[in-house]
Amino acid sequence: GESGVVHMIQVKRTYDPPARGDARRILVERLWPRGIKKEALAADAWVKEVAPSTELRKWFDHRVERWEEFRRRYRKELDANPEAWGPILEASQRRRVTLLYSAHDTAHNGALVLRDYLAEQATKSRSSRRAQRT
């Protein structure tokens, strides 16, 4: 169906155990999560370039009052960097993708912004493909 792509991207903390339903696990952090062995993380890919810039991460500092501004700035970085997220979007059109993040705050983190951003890009590319067909 039309909404087939959006549910194909989920987010999960690096500290949660891998599950079969995760399908393709992609670490979307600039830094490797502390205290986790490569085997334990079981990531299929590590895409550092798609994470918020170091400057932005340090500025945000997980301060909830900066969340909206962090989202705005991070999305701006993503707009300028389609080669980083393009392969993730493509992968998600073939199978479920799980974006792995290590923040403790499950409601305010870069992976959530990225997931929503990718869902929007998927919708955009679907509607432009539909436009081309007509």
Side-chain angles (χ1 to χ4, degrees), residues 98-110:
T98 301
L99 306 175
L100 302 172
Y101 70 93
S102 44
H104 293 286
D105 188 336
T106 56
H108 307 92
N109 62 72

Side-chain angles (χ1 to χ4, degrees), residues 7-125:
H7 75 269
M8 296 301 285
I9 302 174
Q10 63 179 7
V11 299
K12 194 169 182 177
R13 289 192 69 219
T14 51
Y15 302 98
D16 296 335
R20 281 177 68 176
D22 292 346
R24 187 164 175 76
R25 291 166 57 84
I26 301 176
L27 179 61
V28 292
E29 296 281 4
R30 278 202 191 258
L31 306 171
W32 189 265
R34 247 173 271 179
I36 292 193
K37 292 193 166 68
K38 276 212 157 63
E39 307 77 64
L41 187 60
D44 298 293
W46 180 12
V47 187
K48 292 180 203 179
E49 314 74 66
V50 82
S53 64
T54 304
E55 298 75 30
L56 181 56
R57 191 186 73 241
K58 287 182 172 163
W59 172 83
F60 177 42
D61 197 29
H62 300 294
R63 289 157 70 164
V64 174
E65 68 274 13
R66 294 184 171 177
W67 170 241
E68 289 304 327
E69 180 62 15
F70 167 77
R71 275 181 52 194
R72 198 184 66 75
R73 292 186 191 186
Y74 181 27
R75 292 173 64 93
K76 226 171 143 178
E77 290 184 352
L78 290 168
D79 284 341
N81 197 10
E83 57 281 354
W85 51 259
I88 301 177
L89 186 62
E90 277 167 40
S92 75
Q93 286 164 353
R94 289 192 295 275
R95 60 196 291 214
R96 183 192 296 270
V97 162
T98 301
L99 306 175
L100 302 172
Y101 70 93
S102 44
H104 293 286
D105 188 336
T106 56
H108 307 92
N109 62 72
L112 291 172
V113 181
L114 179 58
R115 182 198 62 193
D116 293 346
Y117 183 88
L118 290 172
E120 283 166 33
Q121 299 302 318
T123 308
K124 267 187 213 161
S125 69

